[in-house]
Amino acid sequence: MMLPTATATAVFLTAAPSSFSTRRRRSRAIFASLSPSFSSSEEPLLVRAARGEDGLPRPPAWMMRQAGRYMAEYQALAKRHPSFRERSENTDLIVEITLQPWRAFAPDGVILFSDILTPLPAIGVPFDISDSKGPVIQSPVRSKEQVRELVPIDLDMLQFVGESLKILRNEIDGKAALLGFVGAPWTIATYIVEGGMTNTYTNIKSMCHTAPDVLKGLLSHLAQAISDYIIYQVNSGAQCIQIFDSWGGQLPPHVWEQWSKPYIKQIVSRIKKECPNVPLVLYINGNGGLLERMKNTGADVIGLDWTVDMTDGRRRLGNGISVQGNVDPAFLFSPLPVLTDEIHRLVKAQRFPFNLRYFVFLLNAHVQFINEIT
């Protein structure tokens, strides 16, 4: 689950700062074996690219989606374990699902199978997942009293996350980067206030004006809890962390600046102090109006969705930050020549290293295309 559907099915190219462009080499098979120069004693290629390091031997390729949902192995496992909560909160299942696409395609990144709402019970917000409605929170938080009842995150309740990361780090053994992720405070608050999924965001947007102190208290609590959760993931083995403000793009830029950005900056600032070597990736669904504001959060990588022109995105962000983006996932249903042309268009336009999000589906559909990308 991890992200709302519109975000989770995106396909991305990733790019380091432009200084890397002069050293671009022909890409190897995207999920083929790693360069022989890499070993478990060196930092993974993806982590180095996320930091914007120069002179890397090739572009990193990986799946931002945390599981190969269209793989037969995953579908078979999901039939045996139909509860998403079970699949995402059982260590053995988390490890197996996380490793399925890595074993099949050897990407440069392995992302934990989990959900942005997973830590909610650990702060005193129980939730369920309905097959028809998605996440359901029976008691939405909308009052000062409810905010005061929230507790500091109890990491003992999230041991399955820490255990899974430790096992995965050992299994991967330096052959890829291990990624963790969290939801941004505004996005998590949206679920908590609305009681689940929403198309209107009526309650939380109203709170900006009718109960700003309540909302500030909730967002502050979440920023602290999410920071603790990131540090826990890093201490358990995560080498790169993604922050998903999935619903941040539903806000006008000046409102995002007031109600989301300060809490993301709070998280980034703390992580930079306590985990200075761990790169942070920030992605917002529908972020075309927010790019310059996103850069000022201090994140190491900014994700571009497919509605943002890659060249324009790079121009607006400048060269001091890595970017990732940004193929429209609908191209996966196109004939192979159309898909190939689109990939080449983006790579030629930017001449940056890239990665593809949700690449498992692409591989299943058009595996012969991989060696053609440069």
Side-chain angles (χ1 to χ4, degrees):
M1 185 177 175
M2 186 176 85
L3 295 172
T5 302
T7 304
T9 56
V11 180
F12 288 83
L13 299 174
T14 276
S18 59
S19 59
F20 195 168
S21 63
T22 59
R23 297 169 177 84
R24 184 175 67 95
R25 302 178 180 179
R26 180 175 179 82
S27 176
R28 287 184 165 186
I30 300 305
F31 288 149
S33 60
L34 297 173
S35 167
S37 64
F38 287 96
S39 70
S40 60
S41 63
E42 294 181 298
E43 287 193 306
L45 180 63
L46 188 149
V47 174
R48 297 170 64 194
R51 292 199 190 112
E53 289 189 22
D54 196 11
L56 301 183
R58 63 176 176 84
W62 64 294
M63 286 167 292
M64 210 177 205
R65 178 75 161 187
Q66 83 273 36
R69 301 257 183 140
Y70 289 87
M71 295 177 65
E73 293 85 348
Y74 178 84
Q75 293 179 2
L77 185 147
K79 288 181 180 179
R80 297 192 302 271
H81 304 278
S83 167
F84 180 85
R85 289 288 298 273
E86 180 189 7
R87 296 197 298 273
S88 62
E89 297 180 11
N90 176 287
T91 299
D92 291 339
L93 296 179
I94 294 170
V95 170
E96 173 60 25
I97 294 170
T98 302
L99 291 177
Q100 283 178 349
W102 184 69
R103 290 168 177 158
F105 307 116
D108 291 304
V110 176
I111 185 166
L112 176 73
F113 181 76
S114 188
D115 189 89
I116 59 173
L117 300 186
T118 292
L120 288 192
I123 65 170
V125 182
F127 75 99
D128 297 311
I129 294 181
S130 166
D131 290 338
S132 59
K133 298 181 180 180
V136 177
I137 296 171
Q138 297 292 345
S139 300
V141 175
R142 299 173 185 170
S143 69
K144 289 183 179 180
E145 292 73 22
Q146 289 174 300
V147 171
R148 284 197 292 265
E149 290 174 358
L150 300 177
V151 298
I153 191 167
D154 183 356
L155 296 173
D156 288 339
M157 295 179 65
L158 298 168
Q159 286 188 7
F160 54 87
V161 171
E163 292 170 358
S164 298
L165 287 167
K166 291 175 183 176
I167 294 171
L168 288 166
R169 184 70 179 269
N170 288 329
E171 288 284 333
I172 297 166
D173 191 28
K175 298 180 179 68
L178 179 59
L179 296 102
F181 68 91
V182 296
W186 172 266
T187 290
I188 300 298
T190 296
Y191 287 99
I192 293 175
V193 171
E194 298 291 343
M197 296 290 292
T198 177
N199 293 321
T200 62
Y201 309 90
T202 303
N203 291 298
I204 191 165
K205 286 188 174 182
S206 296
M207 285 180 69
C208 294
H209 312 289
T210 62
D213 291 342
V214 176
L215 186 53
K216 287 178 182 178
L218 174 59
L219 291 169
S220 294
H221 189 93
L222 290 172
Q224 178 67 40
I226 292 167
S227 298
D228 290 341
Y229 188 40
I230 289 176
I231 293 168
Y232 176 67
Q233 291 187 36
V234 171
N235 288 339
S236 298
Q239 297 165 287
C240 181
I241 298 290
Q242 298 183 90
I243 302 172
F244 290 102
D245 196 5
S246 306
W247 301 136
Q250 297 295 324
L251 294 172
H254 72 283
V255 179
W256 183 85
E257 188 89 26
Q258 179 181 359
W259 289 103
S260 185
K261 181 178 178 179
Y263 304 97
I264 294 175
K265 288 186 68 174
Q266 180 179 331
I267 292 170
V268 171
S269 177
R270 183 176 171 201
I271 302 309
K272 290 300 181 183
K273 290 178 181 178
E274 300 198 29
C275 310
N277 295 320
V278 176
L280 299 173
V281 182
L282 176 60
Y283 177 76
I284 300 175
N285 197 31
N287 60 14
L290 300 172
L291 293 186
E292 293 84 357
R293 291 171 168 86
M294 292 173 68
K295 179 179 180 179
N296 294 333
T297 60
D300 300 284
V301 183
I302 299 298
L304 308 178
D305 70 21
W306 63 92
T307 65
V308 178
D309 180 80
M310 194 74 161
T311 302
D312 183 54
R314 167 56 74 191
R315 178 186 60 78
R316 292 169 59 188
L317 288 168
N319 295 329
I321 192 168
S322 295
V323 299
Q324 66 179 18
N326 66 348
V327 178
D328 183 344
F331 275 98
L332 295 174
F333 297 96
S334 303
L336 175 59
V338 175
L339 174 62
T340 304
D341 287 347
E342 176 64 8
I343 299 295
H344 278 288
R345 182 188 71 81
L346 290 172
V347 175
K348 182 178 180 180
Q350 288 303 307
R351 298 185 181 274
F352 297 136
F354 62 93
N355 73 37
L356 292 177
R357 182 177 181 181
Y358 212 42
F359 208 109
V360 166
F361 186 28
L362 179 58
L363 279 168
N364 287 347
H366 302 299
V367 68
Q368 70 269 34
F369 145 79
I370 299 304
N371 285 310
E372 298 301 321
I373 303 177
T374 59

